[in-house]
Amino acid sequence: MKREDLQLYFIMGTGNVSQQEPLAVLEQALRAGITMFQLREKGPFALTGLAYEQFARQCQKRCQHYHVPFIINDDVDLAVRLGADGVHIGQDDEQIAIARKKMANRLLGVSVHSQEELQTAIDHHVDYVGIGPIFATTSKSDAQPPCGTYFLQQASKLQPNLPIVAIGGINRTNADSVLQAGADGVAVISAICGSKDIEQTVSMFKSLSRIKK
């Protein structure tokens, strides 16, 4: 994985989209230039079973067409079964060591919220970490309280070789401050899912990341 892959990390599930078909939103985002995609199918109306796997395969096919890494949230077994490019897990999900073993040489990303969690991730040779929520977010019902950019700055200084993506309430007005704090890129959900002009939104985020630092 290249650090640039984290430049604009789009996260989406069917529950995050209301105005358009989810696959249409993903297609537009891929065409516009997102650099990584994570399927995060959560919530009370989330797809399950065969419908979930079929939707995942459709997302994967589109990502492959645009040569964008396809990441699955939490579900390590599905990621292995589909041959996904990687999996992203949280602190309450499958143990990092087990995920690392199952994913072998594929990408493993982990959400971290403290120095201790950061060190655990490093010890298990994760490929990147996600830090957040940086700002308040409505996209995740189980999100922790916003942490601001302090821990992000600390992690970036302490682990300069570790790729970091920031997540949580990031939009066009605050994305630059997150990049200046040391993130290699930003992960967004509602900023793209709720956009009336996805191409313009993606272009805006990517222009910011090109001039960071």
Side-chain angles (χ1 to χ4, degrees):
M1 186 195 84
K2 305 183 297 291
R3 296 178 88 114
E4 305 88 77
D5 290 339
L6 297 177
Q7 182 183 32
L8 184 52
Y9 189 137
F10 180 37
I11 301 173
M12 184 195 74
T14 56
N16 298 121
V17 184
S18 58
Q19 300 301 316
Q20 298 185 62
E21 286 294 319
L23 290 173
V25 172
L26 175 57
E27 180 77 29
Q28 291 175 64
L30 287 163
R31 194 185 314 126
I34 60 167
T35 56
M36 190 174 282
F37 173 68
Q38 180 192 130
L39 172 60
R40 184 181 184 277
E41 188 66 7
K42 299 284 187 179
F45 304 107
L47 298 175
T48 58
L50 183 59
Y52 169 44
E53 183 167 332
Q54 289 176 335
F55 180 69
R57 289 184 185 278
Q58 290 175 309
C59 291
Q60 181 181 28
K61 183 178 180 181
R62 284 162 174 77
C63 288
Q64 289 172 336
H65 178 76
Y66 288 93
H67 306 289
V68 168
F70 172 66
I71 310 296
I72 291 179
N73 181 273
D74 290 2
D75 198 334
V76 179
D77 291 335
L78 180 62
V80 172
R81 191 158 66 247
L82 267 58
D85 295 302
V87 70
H88 186 96
I89 61 175
Q91 293 297 320
D92 299 323
D93 304 325
E94 192 160 4
Q95 294 178 358
I96 300 175
I98 296 174
R100 177 74 284 173
K101 185 176 181 180
K102 286 185 176 181
M103 292 306 292
N105 60 348
R106 280 172 281 193
L107 298 177
L108 174 60
V110 176
S111 297
V112 299
H113 311 91
S114 68
Q115 186 58 47
E116 182 181 11
E117 291 176 356
L118 178 64
Q119 189 58 53
T120 298
I122 292 166
D123 291 343
H124 288 93
H125 307 290
V126 302
D127 296 285
Y128 72 91
V129 296
I131 293 179
I134 304 297
F135 307 109
T137 176
T138 57
S139 297
K140 292 178 66 176
S141 60
D142 57 347
Q144 297 199 13
C147 60
T149 59
Y150 179 74
F151 177 55
L152 169 61
Q153 290 175 313
Q154 294 299 106
S156 177
K157 289 177 182 176
L158 291 169
Q159 302 295 337
N161 296 320
L162 179 67
I164 298 173
V165 65
I167 187 172
I170 298 171
N171 55 45
R172 66 178 63 214
T173 60
N174 59 31
D176 188 53
S177 66
V178 175
L179 295 166
Q180 296 295 338
D184 292 291
V186 295
V188 297
I189 301 176
S190 57
I192 289 179
C193 287
S195 173
K196 293 180 180 178
D197 189 333
I198 291 175
E199 183 177 358
Q200 183 184 55
T201 298
V202 169
S203 177
M204 180 278 300
F205 276 114
K206 294 189 75 175
S207 67
L208 284 177
S209 58
R210 280 197 295 271
I211 61 173
K212 81 168 206 174
K213 298 180 182 175

